Amino acid sequence: MSQENVTPDLARERSKATFDVENLAEFMIGGRDRLKRKRFLQNIAIQDPFFKKQKSWSFCSVEEQYDMGLSKSIYIQKKLQEMGITDMQEAFYYRECAAAHENSPLGLHYAMFLPTINKQATPEQKKKWLPLAENYKMIGTYAQTELGHGTFIRGLETTATYDPKTKEFILDSPTLTSKKYWPGCLGKTSNHCVVMAQLYTQGKSHGPHMFMVQIRSMEDHSVLPGIEVGVIGNKFGYGTNDNGFLSFDKLRIPRENMLMRYSQVSRIPRENMLMRYSQVHEDGTYVKPQNAKLAYGSMVLIRSSIVSDAARGLAQACVISIRYSAVRRQTEAYPGGEEPQILDYQTQQYRLFPLLASAYSLQLAGKYVFNTYLEVNDQIEKGNLESMPELHALSAGLKAFSTYEASAGIEVCRICCGGHGYSQASGLPKIYVDVVPGCTYEGENTVMMLQTARYLMKCYSRAKQGQKLPGFVQYIGQNLNKKSCMSEEVALGCLVMAYEHRAARLVEAAAMRMQSLIQGGKKQHEAWNGSSVQLFWAAKAHCHLFCVKNFVDAIQAKSLSSKTVTVMKSVCQLYGVHGILENLGEFMQDGFFSGEQVGYLQRKMLALFENIRPNAVALVDAFDYPDMVLGSCLGRYDGQVYQALYDYAKSAPMNQTEIHSTYYKHLKPLINPETTSDAMQFAKL
């Protein structure tokens, strides 16, 4: 990044750093070569005249945002093809810079539609559809959520009934609440979509399955008969995406349009594979998958990406608010004295530094889940799901934990920027409305936490039976009578121990609550509901423990210099200490901590603020986000905040004319009623 025109405040902040920013940046992204490649690709976007001439996102109407989003998406895709970029991560680096926090109208085509074909289609189906989809002849999305059902997939109402006479499925939306609602890229962009519908064949229901459905003509984009499709209207954010609704009126599609890699209709039963196909009547025979959990791999991949997205959003908000806090000066420390940087106020540090620590922790957590998924993906493809339950439960919980943390944290960052944080010029509102939907899509967060809790209850039961638990969950069922080893030093090992104790106790408390309700005569589902708040607490504590432990393990990497480790140890300690103090009741309820030990933690937190303060700007620099990604007047690398704010204001469309049209329409009749023909009418009102 250019060192030219950097304000004295930011230049001084960077000169105080006690570690090598490049060393930490390389570690966070996965090596020096990857960092160089990221910067190379992002610099191509930064220098491209096409993106420089684009109208500011914040001055666009929703229709203009969608138009700009589609234009950018197509241009980006062409550039990626020209550069021969096929690596998913490299494509992301370029897209992130070219259209930061602008959800592409083609986003679900390559994020959901293509991966679903790859994961769920047969070889014959792939051969038919992938070439068309990869060349954008077929533009697709994924339609699951309905007006009446979202996270509860088994409750979906859209039906797909097999007709053996015509060898077709009949897709129908039998109720108002069965209409597909919210899928991105659906309203105006896609001509195909993968539809999740309840499969009926031979008079029986076989649950939700996936079907390839053409919804618009591939020639003129007109809506096909039997289909109603459109956009759902303005949302809180996501103006660049045409989230839509979709319904079917007894639409017939070929049998071959059911995605049949794992489940089949009118296929040769597996036990009769030696029979000739012609000997089998296509009467709608259903062959269920060998393992119903084979689809979990895709869920883990998607949820790990959501964790990373949330972490990036929080990290970017921290970059903006901490750089701005180093530039902004406010209130004399003493009469006649210089106004201090607001980053020097302990209260500002108390709000921002724990969020900085959270951003690092969540990025490392997302990285772990994604890399673990890649390691076990081959096993999953072969049907070996031994490691899948733990990974699935962790990814579900972390999806909820990270999006909650990031959404709340970004709002705190905005507040910490004062009045300027409320302006779109800060870049923070754009980041917030991009991240906060993650609390809902791909599984509502409370439901995700309870999925994790269900796994934890199974683990607790196994532990009580003396069975050995896998990997990370071995803390469950541990001895709860031991006391904390916490001292003034606040060792990382003692922090991990404290989080293990808290999680183990909350898991046990939830299990005991359920057992008590069942013994009292409640049915299983009633006991679950009656324990769900404690189950939620247990799952949250489990995820929090993972983030702490993973952070501790990560900073011991050999690629980090000793000076970087020293700084990151302070960041890691702050993450753990602040988390305890914010949830103190859960750590003290059974006397695990003494009052004296709580005092250690409080003093340590304040000491850590002092340790981190000289490195605060360097730590956000290490996230390595160029100004084009941040899109913020407040978070600029050079710190030229006030000139940027003024330039932003001057560029507003309403400032392009000295006298706005509304003066003649509304104000002039109000000020001088006698000078206009409307005056009499106005006076009579």
Short mmCIF file of all heavy atoms in Angstrom, two decimals, residues 98-125:
data_model
loop_
_atom_site.label_atom_id
_atom_site.label_comp_id
_atom_site.label_asym_id
_atom_site.label_seq_id
_atom_site.Cartn_x
_atom_site.Cartn_y
_atom_site.Cartn_z
N ALA A 98 -13.16 -6.12 -6.42
CA ALA A 98 -13.91 -5.49 -7.51
C ALA A 98 -15.31 -5.10 -7.09
O ALA A 98 -15.87 -4.10 -7.61
CB ALA A 98 -13.97 -6.43 -8.71
N ALA A 99 -15.92 -5.86 -6.19
CA ALA A 99 -17.31 -5.59 -5.79
C ALA A 99 -17.49 -5.95 -4.32
O ALA A 99 -18.26 -6.84 -3.97
CB ALA A 99 -18.27 -6.38 -6.67
N ALA A 100 -16.80 -5.23 -3.46
CA ALA A 100 -16.80 -5.56 -2.03
C ALA A 100 -18.18 -5.37 -1.43
O ALA A 100 -18.81 -4.32 -1.58
CB ALA A 100 -15.80 -4.67 -1.30
N HIS A 101 -18.66 -6.41 -0.76
CA HIS A 101 -19.96 -6.39 -0.07
C HIS A 101 -21.11 -6.02 -1.00
O HIS A 101 -22.10 -5.43 -0.57
CB HIS A 101 -19.91 -5.46 1.14
CG HIS A 101 -18.91 -5.89 2.17
ND1 HIS A 101 -19.11 -6.98 2.98
CD2 HIS A 101 -17.68 -5.40 2.48
CE1 HIS A 101 -18.04 -7.13 3.77
NE2 HIS A 101 -17.17 -6.19 3.48
N GLU A 102 -20.95 -6.36 -2.28
CA GLU A 102 -22.04 -6.20 -3.24
C GLU A 102 -22.37 -7.59 -3.75
O GLU A 102 -21.69 -8.13 -4.63
CB GLU A 102 -21.61 -5.27 -4.38
CG GLU A 102 -21.32 -3.84 -3.93
CD GLU A 102 -20.70 -2.99 -5.04
OE1 GLU A 102 -20.73 -3.42 -6.21
OE2 GLU A 102 -20.17 -1.91 -4.72
N ASN A 103 -23.40 -8.18 -3.21
CA ASN A 103 -23.72 -9.57 -3.52
C ASN A 103 -24.12 -9.72 -4.97
O ASN A 103 -25.09 -9.13 -5.43
CB ASN A 103 -24.83 -10.06 -2.60
CG ASN A 103 -24.31 -10.24 -1.19
OD1 ASN A 103 -23.82 -11.29 -0.84
ND2 ASN A 103 -24.40 -9.18 -0.39
N SER A 104 -23.40 -10.53 -5.68
CA SER A 104 -23.56 -10.67 -7.12
C SER A 104 -24.89 -11.32 -7.48
O SER A 104 -25.28 -12.33 -6.88
CB SER A 104 -22.42 -11.52 -7.69
OG SER A 104 -22.71 -11.92 -9.01
N PRO A 105 -25.58 -10.78 -8.49
CA PRO A 105 -26.78 -11.46 -9.00
C PRO A 105 -26.45 -12.82 -9.62
O PRO A 105 -27.36 -13.60 -9.89
CB PRO A 105 -27.31 -10.50 -10.07
CG PRO A 105 -26.72 -9.18 -9.74
CD PRO A 105 -25.37 -9.48 -9.14
N LEU A 106 -25.17 -13.08 -9.86
CA LEU A 106 -24.74 -14.38 -10.35
C LEU A 106 -24.07 -15.20 -9.24
O LEU A 106 -23.58 -16.30 -9.49
CB LEU A 106 -23.74 -14.21 -11.51
CG LEU A 106 -24.28 -13.56 -12.79
CD1 LEU A 106 -23.14 -13.35 -13.79
CD2 LEU A 106 -25.38 -14.41 -13.41
N GLY A 107 -24.09 -14.66 -8.02
CA GLY A 107 -23.34 -15.29 -6.93
C GLY A 107 -23.76 -16.71 -6.63
O GLY A 107 -22.92 -17.60 -6.47
N LEU A 108 -25.07 -16.96 -6.58
CA LEU A 108 -25.52 -18.31 -6.26
C LEU A 108 -25.33 -19.27 -7.43
O LEU A 108 -25.36 -20.48 -7.25
CB LEU A 108 -26.99 -18.29 -5.83
CG LEU A 108 -27.23 -17.72 -4.42
CD1 LEU A 108 -28.70 -17.79 -4.04
CD2 LEU A 108 -26.40 -18.45 -3.38
N HIS A 109 -25.13 -18.72 -8.62
CA HIS A 109 -24.85 -19.59 -9.77
C HIS A 109 -23.56 -20.37 -9.52
O HIS A 109 -23.52 -21.59 -9.69
CB HIS A 109 -24.74 -18.77 -11.05
CG HIS A 109 -24.37 -19.58 -12.25
ND1 HIS A 109 -25.30 -20.29 -12.97
CD2 HIS A 109 -23.17 -19.80 -12.87
CE1 HIS A 109 -24.69 -20.91 -13.98
NE2 HIS A 109 -23.40 -20.63 -13.92
N TYR A 110 -22.50 -19.64 -9.11
CA TYR A 110 -21.24 -20.35 -8.89
C TYR A 110 -21.03 -20.80 -7.45
O TYR A 110 -20.20 -21.66 -7.17
CB TYR A 110 -20.03 -19.53 -9.37
CG TYR A 110 -19.97 -18.09 -8.94
CD1 TYR A 110 -19.61 -17.72 -7.65
CD2 TYR A 110 -20.26 -17.07 -9.85
CE1 TYR A 110 -19.53 -16.40 -7.27
CE2 TYR A 110 -20.19 -15.74 -9.46
CZ TYR A 110 -19.83 -15.41 -8.19
OH TYR A 110 -19.77 -14.08 -7.81
N ALA A 111 -21.83 -20.25 -6.49
CA ALA A 111 -21.65 -20.65 -5.09
C ALA A 111 -22.55 -21.81 -4.70
O ALA A 111 -22.22 -22.56 -3.77
CB ALA A 111 -21.93 -19.46 -4.17
N MET A 112 -23.70 -21.98 -5.38
CA MET A 112 -24.64 -23.04 -5.01
C MET A 112 -25.05 -23.91 -6.19
O MET A 112 -25.08 -25.14 -6.07
CB MET A 112 -25.90 -22.41 -4.38
CG MET A 112 -25.71 -21.91 -2.97
SD MET A 112 -25.46 -23.23 -1.77
CE MET A 112 -27.10 -23.91 -1.65
N PHE A 113 -25.39 -23.27 -7.32
CA PHE A 113 -25.93 -24.02 -8.45
C PHE A 113 -24.91 -25.00 -9.03
O PHE A 113 -25.15 -26.21 -9.11
CB PHE A 113 -26.39 -23.03 -9.53
CG PHE A 113 -27.14 -23.65 -10.67
CD1 PHE A 113 -28.40 -24.20 -10.50
CD2 PHE A 113 -26.60 -23.66 -11.96
CE1 PHE A 113 -29.11 -24.76 -11.56
CE2 PHE A 113 -27.29 -24.21 -13.03
CZ PHE A 113 -28.55 -24.76 -12.82
N LEU A 114 -23.73 -24.49 -9.38
CA LEU A 114 -22.69 -25.37 -9.93
C LEU A 114 -22.22 -26.43 -8.91
O LEU A 114 -22.12 -27.61 -9.27
CB LEU A 114 -21.51 -24.53 -10.41
CG LEU A 114 -21.71 -23.81 -11.75
CD1 LEU A 114 -20.62 -22.76 -11.98
CD2 LEU A 114 -21.72 -24.81 -12.90
N PRO A 115 -21.94 -26.04 -7.64
CA PRO A 115 -21.54 -27.06 -6.68
C PRO A 115 -22.61 -28.13 -6.44
O PRO A 115 -22.28 -29.30 -6.22
CB PRO A 115 -21.29 -26.26 -5.39
CG PRO A 115 -20.94 -24.89 -5.86
CD PRO A 115 -21.79 -24.67 -7.08
N THR A 116 -23.88 -27.75 -6.48
CA THR A 116 -24.95 -28.73 -6.27
C THR A 116 -24.97 -29.74 -7.41
O THR A 116 -25.14 -30.94 -7.18
CB THR A 116 -26.31 -28.02 -6.15
OG1 THR A 116 -26.28 -27.13 -5.04
CG2 THR A 116 -27.43 -29.04 -5.94
N ILE A 117 -24.81 -29.26 -8.64
CA ILE A 117 -24.74 -30.19 -9.78
C ILE A 117 -23.56 -31.14 -9.60
O ILE A 117 -23.67 -32.36 -9.78
CB ILE A 117 -24.62 -29.42 -11.11
CG1 ILE A 117 -25.88 -28.60 -11.37
CG2 ILE A 117 -24.40 -30.40 -12.27
CD1 ILE A 117 -25.78 -27.68 -12.58
N ASN A 118 -22.42 -30.57 -9.21
CA ASN A 118 -21.22 -31.39 -9.04
C ASN A 118 -21.38 -32.43 -7.94
O ASN A 118 -20.90 -33.56 -8.07
CB ASN A 118 -20.02 -30.48 -8.72
CG ASN A 118 -19.27 -30.08 -9.97
OD1 ASN A 118 -18.88 -30.93 -10.77
ND2 ASN A 118 -19.07 -28.78 -10.15
N LYS A 119 -22.07 -32.06 -6.86
CA LYS A 119 -22.17 -32.94 -5.69
C LYS A 119 -23.35 -33.90 -5.76
O LYS A 119 -23.29 -35.00 -5.22
CB LYS A 119 -22.29 -32.10 -4.41
CG LYS A 119 -21.04 -31.35 -4.01
CD LYS A 119 -19.99 -32.30 -3.47
CE LYS A 119 -18.76 -31.54 -2.96
NZ LYS A 119 -17.72 -32.47 -2.47
N GLN A 120 -24.45 -33.48 -6.40
CA GLN A 120 -25.69 -34.25 -6.30
C GLN A 120 -26.13 -34.91 -7.60
O GLN A 120 -27.04 -35.74 -7.59
CB GLN A 120 -26.82 -33.33 -5.81
CG GLN A 120 -26.56 -32.67 -4.47
CD GLN A 120 -26.48 -33.66 -3.32
OE1 GLN A 120 -27.13 -34.70 -3.34
NE2 GLN A 120 -25.67 -33.34 -2.32
N ALA A 121 -25.52 -34.56 -8.73
CA ALA A 121 -25.95 -35.10 -10.02
C ALA A 121 -25.19 -36.37 -10.38
O ALA A 121 -24.07 -36.60 -9.92
CB ALA A 121 -25.76 -34.05 -11.11
N THR A 122 -25.81 -37.19 -11.21
CA THR A 122 -25.15 -38.39 -11.74
C THR A 122 -24.15 -37.98 -12.82
O THR A 122 -24.21 -36.86 -13.33
CB THR A 122 -26.20 -39.33 -12.36
OG1 THR A 122 -26.78 -38.68 -13.50
CG2 THR A 122 -27.28 -39.70 -11.36
N PRO A 123 -23.26 -38.88 -13.19
CA PRO A 123 -22.33 -38.56 -14.29
C PRO A 123 -23.05 -38.13 -15.56
O PRO A 123 -22.60 -37.21 -16.26
CB PRO A 123 -21.55 -39.86 -14.49
CG PRO A 123 -21.57 -40.51 -13.14
CD PRO A 123 -22.92 -40.18 -12.56
N GLU A 124 -24.16 -38.79 -15.87
CA GLU A 124 -24.92 -38.42 -17.08
C GLU A 124 -25.50 -37.02 -16.96
O GLU A 124 -25.48 -36.24 -17.92
CB GLU A 124 -26.05 -39.44 -17.31
CG GLU A 124 -25.61 -40.86 -17.60
CD GLU A 124 -25.27 -41.65 -16.35
OE1 GLU A 124 -25.48 -41.13 -15.23
OE2 GLU A 124 -24.80 -42.80 -16.49
N GLN A 125 -26.02 -36.69 -15.78
CA GLN A 125 -26.58 -35.36 -15.58
C GLN A 125 -25.50 -34.28 -15.63
O GLN A 125 -25.70 -33.22 -16.20
CB GLN A 125 -27.32 -35.33 -14.23
CG GLN A 125 -28.61 -36.13 -14.22
CD GLN A 125 -29.23 -36.23 -12.84
OE1 GLN A 125 -28.53 -36.29 -11.83
NE2 GLN A 125 -30.55 -36.25 -12.79
#
